[in-house]
Amino acid sequence: MNADKIPDIIIGRLPVYLRALQRMADSGKKTTSSQELGEHVGISAAQIRKDISQFGEFGKQGTGYSISFLLDKLREILNVNRIWDVAIIGAGDMGHALARYQGFVNRGFRVAMVFDNDPTKIGQKIGEFTIEDIDKMVERIRAAKIKMAMITVPAATAQAVADKLVQAGVKAILNYAPISINVPENVRVQYIDPATHLQRMTYYLD
Amino acid sequence: MNADKIPDIIIGRLPVYLRALQRMADSGKKTTSSQELGEHVGISAAQIRKDISQFGEFGKQGTGYSISFLLDKLREILNVNRIWDVAIIGAGDMGHALARYQGFVNRGFRVAMVFDNDPTKIGQKIGEFTIEDIDKMVERIRAAKIKMAMITVPAATAQAVADKLVQAGVKAILNYAPISINVPENVRVQYIDPATHLQRMTYYLD
């Protein structure tokens, strides 16, 4: 396996395959084919076979893929055969929604801490979490060795929060603030901005 | 302009440029360069020049881009020089966060309606919106000629909701449910799933 040489576009499709396979497993299915998986995720069977073959020979001619085997392999490749603690910075509406989000269960993630800078929010509860003071964030994240964070603060403060997260040792940031952030090369950033996603579709509308 | 021939990957970058230019304009800047824009968005100056030149000659050698001119052009290309009404289906935590989200303002979108199937939620308010009965959704969306929707229901009901949205004439869906949905070819779908975004980064972590 030449992990370093796999294009990021392929890596980006693996979580989608993983999600679809997990749903198949949940519904009691044992095996699947690239055709069937392709219909679930809207990607061609040929592309799926090509993507998966980058990592080894996981399917059998004629019998297809064992779902549990492929799930194990994809979890191993994506490093989610373990649980990653994730910090949320920003206890607004989006931070609340993420802190209570049920979609991380069984997918490799657990929200571990929630921070805000608003004195009226610090000490309040969101579900099982107590909102912590952002001034303690670097120290707390570093002590807990947390490597992942989600930024849900306003655009104006997102860069300053990102700088502190980098300082705390965070290596992967999911940024919900509607602004691009600059981080060192060894830190990954992914963006979630509904307006950007919507604008990508209006291009095609009349 | 050969709009049909522009690769979708380029279209996907335009909203990011638009967002950065809007912030520059908000801060009072009048002109920018592909270098400066590139530093803001983390994309090379050469790539930005190439992307923008697909649509015409918008910059001047030596003086760079007029921000207001480029903003107008990008809004026109992306069809957001108008306001699109968007329906939210699912009044859970994420639906609430989106209904109250301030990030759509000046970016071409306005939440117009919120639907749910839970009798205890129907008739309740989220900010200025009254949660409406999902059984009236097709009729209401069709009557209002709404073309865009955000799905924030659980995975198990997302496909059924998508089918109804297609029936109602919706042409673009932003799906927050953690499942791939099938729609006809003339309907666009974008996905927002924080776990998928996080898994795309854990691949690169130790």
Side-chain angles (χ1 to χ4, degrees):
Chain A
M1 183 187 332
N2 293 307
D4 290 342
K5 295 181 181 167
I6 310 284
D8 184 62
I9 187 116
I10 293 181
I11 304 307
R13 286 192 288 263
L14 300 186
V16 178
Y17 302 159
L18 178 56
R19 186 173 68 183
L21 289 163
Q22 244 170 329
R23 283 194 65 83
M24 288 182 189
D26 291 347
S27 74
K29 275 184 77 76
K30 303 294 180 200
T31 59
T32 188
S33 62
S34 49
Q35 281 78 6
E36 187 182 48
L37 183 54
E39 283 163 23
H40 276 273
V41 299
I43 294 172
S44 77
Q47 183 70 63
I48 289 174
R49 283 195 299 271
K50 200 174 152 196
D51 288 352
I52 290 174
S53 70
Q54 302 277 325
F55 302 92
E57 265 310 323
F58 299 156
K60 283 196 191 119
Q61 194 74 36
T63 62
Y65 298 104
S66 152
I67 291 175
S68 68
F69 181 75
L70 197 48
L71 275 175
D72 284 348
K73 284 295 169 189
L74 285 174
R75 288 196 185 109
E76 190 186 316
I77 292 164
L78 292 171
N79 275 325
V80 289
N81 51 353
R82 48 163 290 186
I83 305 288
W84 295 85
D85 282 338
V86 184
I88 294 174
I89 301 81
D93 282 330
M94 194 58 71
H96 269 81
L98 287 171
R100 294 154 50 113
Y101 186 58
Q102 298 304 306
F104 296 129
V105 177
N106 291 326
R107 297 182 70 190
F109 308 101
R110 175 174 56 201
V111 173
M113 300 174 182
V114 181
F115 297 94
D116 204 286
N117 67 351
D118 180 344
T120 66
K121 287 182 181 169
I122 295 165
Q124 300 288 312
K125 303 281 272 184
I126 305 182
E128 60 187 294
F129 302 102
T130 302
I131 300 170
E132 302 184 51
D133 185 345
I134 203 166
D135 286 344
K136 307 265 168 60
M137 183 179 78
V138 172
E139 183 189 332
R140 287 274 291 140
I141 286 181
R142 198 181 273 153
K145 296 188 168 61
I146 291 176
K147 298 298 170 198
M148 309 194 79
M150 299 189 278
I151 296 180
T152 57
V153 301
T157 48
Q159 183 62 57
V161 167
D163 292 345
K164 282 190 178 177
L165 289 173
V166 170
Q167 197 189 328
V170 165
K171 298 294 182 198
I173 295 171
L174 184 52
N175 182 26
Y176 280 79
I179 184 175
S180 299
I181 54 175
N182 294 310
V183 294
E185 270 188 22
N186 66 337
V187 178
R188 319 278 316 178
V189 182
Q190 287 267 309
Y191 292 92
I192 290 185
D193 174 357
T196 300
H197 281 82
L198 291 173
Q199 286 175 345
R200 187 169 184 162
M201 297 192 286
T202 47
Y203 172 79
Y204 299 96
L205 300 186
D206 303 320
Chain B
M1 183 187 333
N2 293 307
D4 289 340
K5 294 180 183 169
I6 309 283
D8 183 61
I9 187 112
I10 293 181
I11 303 307
R13 286 193 288 263
L14 301 185
V16 178
Y17 303 159
L18 178 57
R19 186 174 68 182
L21 290 163
Q22 242 169 328
R23 283 194 66 83
M24 288 182 189
D26 290 346
S27 73
K29 276 184 77 75
K30 303 293 181 202
T31 60
T32 188
S33 63
S34 48
Q35 281 79 5
E36 187 181 49
L37 182 56
E39 283 161 24
H40 277 275
V41 298
I43 294 172
S44 76
Q47 183 70 63
I48 290 174
R49 281 194 300 271
K50 202 175 151 195
D51 288 352
I52 291 175
S53 70
Q54 303 276 325
F55 302 93
E57 266 310 322
F58 298 156
K60 280 191 193 127
Q61 193 76 35
T63 60
Y65 298 105
S66 153
I67 291 175
S68 68
F69 181 75
L70 195 49
L71 276 175
D72 283 349
K73 284 294 169 188
L74 285 174
R75 288 197 185 109
E76 189 185 318
I77 291 164
L78 291 171
N79 275 326
V80 288
N81 52 353
R82 50 162 287 186
I83 303 287
W84 294 86
D85 282 338
V86 184
I88 294 174
I89 301 81
D93 282 331
M94 194 58 71
H96 270 81
L98 287 171
R100 294 155 49 115
Y101 187 57
Q102 297 305 306
F104 295 130
V105 176
N106 291 326
R107 297 183 69 191
F109 308 102
R110 176 173 56 201
V111 173
M113 299 173 183
V114 181
F115 297 93
D116 204 286
N117 66 351
D118 179 345
T120 67
K121 287 183 182 168
I122 296 165
Q124 300 289 311
K125 302 280 273 184
I126 305 181
E128 62 187 293
F129 303 103
T130 302
I131 300 169
E132 302 185 52
D133 185 345
I134 203 165
D135 285 345
K136 307 267 168 60
M137 183 178 78
V138 172
E139 182 189 335
R140 287 274 291 139
I141 287 181
R142 198 181 274 152
K145 295 188 170 58
I146 291 176
K147 299 296 171 200
M148 308 193 82
M150 298 188 279
I151 296 180
T152 58
V153 301
T157 47
Q159 184 62 55
V161 167
D163 292 345
K164 281 190 178 177
L165 289 173
V166 169
Q167 196 191 330
V170 165
K171 298 294 182 199
I173 295 171
L174 183 52
N175 182 25
Y176 279 78
I179 185 174
S180 299
I181 54 175
N182 295 309
V183 295
E185 268 187 24
N186 66 336
V187 178
R188 317 282 312 181
V189 182
Q190 288 267 307
Y191 292 91
I192 289 185
D193 174 356
T196 301
H197 281 82
L198 291 173
Q199 286 175 344
R200 188 170 183 163
M201 297 192 285
T202 46
Y203 172 79
Y204 298 96
L205 300 185
D206 303 321

